[in-house]
Amino acid sequence: GAVVSQHPSWVICKSGTSVKIECRSLDFQATTMFWYRQFPKQSLMLMATSNEGSKATYEQGVEKDKFLINHASLTLSTLTVTSAHPEDSSFYICSARDGKLRTLTYNEQFFGPGTRLTVL
Amino acid sequence: SQQGEEDPQALSIQEGENATMNCSYKTSINNLQWYRQNSGRGLVHLILIRSNEREKHSGRLRVTLDTSKKSSSLLITASRAADTASYFCATDDPGNTGKLIFGQGTTLQVKP
């Protein structure tokens, strides 16, 4: 159980186009999903927190108009990179929390396999 | 923001040797987790240690936590070539937002 998928696993696009990445929790309901980006040989950097049915909360320095996040259902969150440029090329990873877990001190997140975005 | 710092940044050992990675953090925590990432892949959860625990074992993994020093270590015993990966520690956001704050990671290479 507790599987998170991402689609696509990799995408190549031209500069100026928009790219949508999907994150799905396959066997549980995820009230909260998180989006990270990771540059080569670096750690994960949290971009935003996505809560089902409400607006995403963005980390400082992340442009919300460029990285559009939609969490319309308990099993799906999408990240759209609008007007992508080469500097947006990165590895994007999502994670999801199981909404049924009520333990306050145990923050279990399940990670997707990541999406490699290359902008030419 | 990244609050965790890990050392070493890179570690190369021979198969069969033990590998120790350290992680330091800055704020109070409820728990600390260790993850593994193979090149170009997602994260695999290895182990979680709560703030009231000092040591935890899982197979060949041993994690320690010293909250007074705000540090944790991950020991992999009898390493295998398949252990080659990047290892990250992650602490929960002290504001209980559910966010995880990742360390910079240690890249481990185990030579056969």
Side-chain angles (χ1 to χ4, degrees), chain A residues 38 43-44 59 105 107 109, chain B residues 2 31 33 37 98-99 103:
Chain A
Q38 184 181 32
S43 186
L44 280 74
E59 294 300 300
T105 58
N107 182 14
Q109 294 184 25
Chain B
Q2 303 293 329
N31 57 68
Q33 303 180 59
Q37 184 182 36
K99 299 178 191 179

Side-chain angles (χ1 to χ4, degrees), chain A residues 6-13 19-22 35-43 79 81 86 88-94 112-120, chain B residues 37-42:
Chain A
Q6 280 186 240
H7 178 80
S9 55
W10 59 270
V11 56
I12 301 173
C13 70
V19 175
K20 180 186 283 188
I21 302 170
E22 293 184 347
W35 286 97
Y36 299 84
R37 68 189 291 183
Q38 184 181 32
F39 292 109
K41 300 189 185 302
Q42 293 189 23
S43 186
L79 167 68
V81 183
D88 298 323
S89 298
S90 188
F91 194 53
Y92 292 86
I93 304 175
C94 72
T115 295
R116 172 79 56 195
L117 170 64
T118 301
V119 185
L120 302 176
Chain B
Q37 184 182 36
N38 286 70
S39 181
R41 301 291 188 90

Side-chain angles (χ1 to χ4, degrees), chain A residues 32 34 36 38 42-46 49 59 91 93 97 103-109 111-114 116, chain B residues 1-2 30-31 33 35 37 40-43 45 48 50 88 92-93 96-100 102-105:
Chain A
T32 304
F34 302 90
Y36 299 84
Q38 184 181 32
Q42 293 189 23
S43 186
L44 280 74
M45 184 184 74
L46 180 65
T49 302
E59 294 300 300
F91 194 53
I93 304 175
R97 290 182 83 184
T103 305
L104 297 178
T105 58
Y106 181 29
N107 182 14
E108 182 168 21
Q109 294 184 25
F111 284 81
R116 172 79 56 195
Chain B
S1 63
Q2 303 293 329
N30 292 317
N31 57 68
Q33 303 180 59
Y35 289 86
Q37 184 182 36
R41 301 291 188 90
L43 270 69
H45 182 263
L48 176 146
R50 302 179 198 274
F88 297 93
D92 56 320
D93 173 36
N96 283 322
T97 60
K99 299 178 191 179
L100 287 179
F102 282 85
Q104 297 304 309

Side-chain angles (χ1 to χ4, degrees), chain B residues 1-110:
Chain B
S1 63
Q2 303 293 329
Q3 76 156 337
E5 294 187 4
E6 293 182 61
D7 77 274
Q9 288 189 331
L11 181 61
S12 181
I13 59 175
Q14 293 294 134
E15 207 166 26
E17 295 179 340
N18 296 341
T20 300
M21 290 159 265
N22 303 296
C23 164
S24 62
Y25 55 92
K26 297 176 183 175
T27 63
S28 62
I29 61 171
N30 292 317
N31 57 68
L32 184 145
Q33 303 180 59
W34 284 90
Y35 289 86
R36 182 178 109 172
Q37 184 182 36
N38 286 70
S39 181
R41 301 291 188 90
L43 270 69
V44 174
H45 182 263
L46 294 177
I47 197 166
L48 176 146
I49 186 165
R50 302 179 198 274
S51 60
N52 62 354
E53 296 176 312
R54 292 296 167 259
E55 188 171 309
K56 203 161 182 180
H57 296 255
S58 177
R60 293 183 295 113
L61 306 180
R62 174 181 164 235
V63 168
T64 63
L65 179 65
D66 187 335
T67 52
S68 66
K69 295 181 180 179
K70 292 187 167 56
S71 68
S72 174
S73 68
L74 170 67
L75 168 68
I76 303 175
T77 60
S79 64
R80 305 167 182 167
D83 294 329
T84 295
S86 292
Y87 292 83
F88 297 93
C89 67
T91 55
D92 56 320
D93 173 36
N96 283 322
T97 60
K99 299 178 191 179
L100 287 179
I101 304 171
F102 282 85
Q104 297 304 309
T106 294
T107 299
L108 173 66
Q109 182 185 31
V110 182

Side-chain angles (χ1 to χ4, degrees), chain A:
Chain A
V3 177
V4 175
S5 69
Q6 280 186 240
H7 178 80
S9 55
W10 59 270
V11 56
I12 301 173
C13 70
K14 292 182 179 179
S15 186
T17 60
S18 294
V19 175
K20 180 186 283 188
I21 302 170
E22 293 184 347
C23 177
R24 292 182 185 273
S25 56
L26 299 184
D27 48 6
F28 65 98
Q29 293 183 333
T31 52
T32 304
M33 290 184 172
F34 302 90
W35 286 97
Y36 299 84
R37 68 189 291 183
Q38 184 181 32
F39 292 109
K41 300 189 185 302
Q42 293 189 23
S43 186
L44 280 74
M45 184 184 74
L46 180 65
M47 298 175 67
T49 302
S50 169
N51 294 297
E52 187 267 337
S54 64
K55 290 183 179 180
T57 303
Y58 291 82
E59 294 300 300
Q60 194 172 12
V62 178
E63 298 176 57
K64 60 181 180 182
D65 294 331
K66 181 167 185 63
F67 299 100
L68 301 178
I69 292 173
N70 183 284
H71 193 160
S73 79
L74 285 171
T75 60
L76 174 64
S77 175
T78 60
L79 167 68
T80 301
V81 183
T82 62
S83 187
H85 288 94
E87 57 265 30
D88 298 323
S89 298
S90 188
F91 194 53
Y92 292 86
I93 304 175
C94 72
S95 70
R97 290 182 83 184
D98 189 329
K100 292 183 180 178
L101 289 178
R102 294 290 180 258
T103 305
L104 297 178
T105 58
Y106 181 29
N107 182 14
E108 182 168 21
Q109 294 184 25
F110 304 98
F111 284 81
T115 295
R116 172 79 56 195
L117 170 64
T118 301
V119 185
L120 302 176

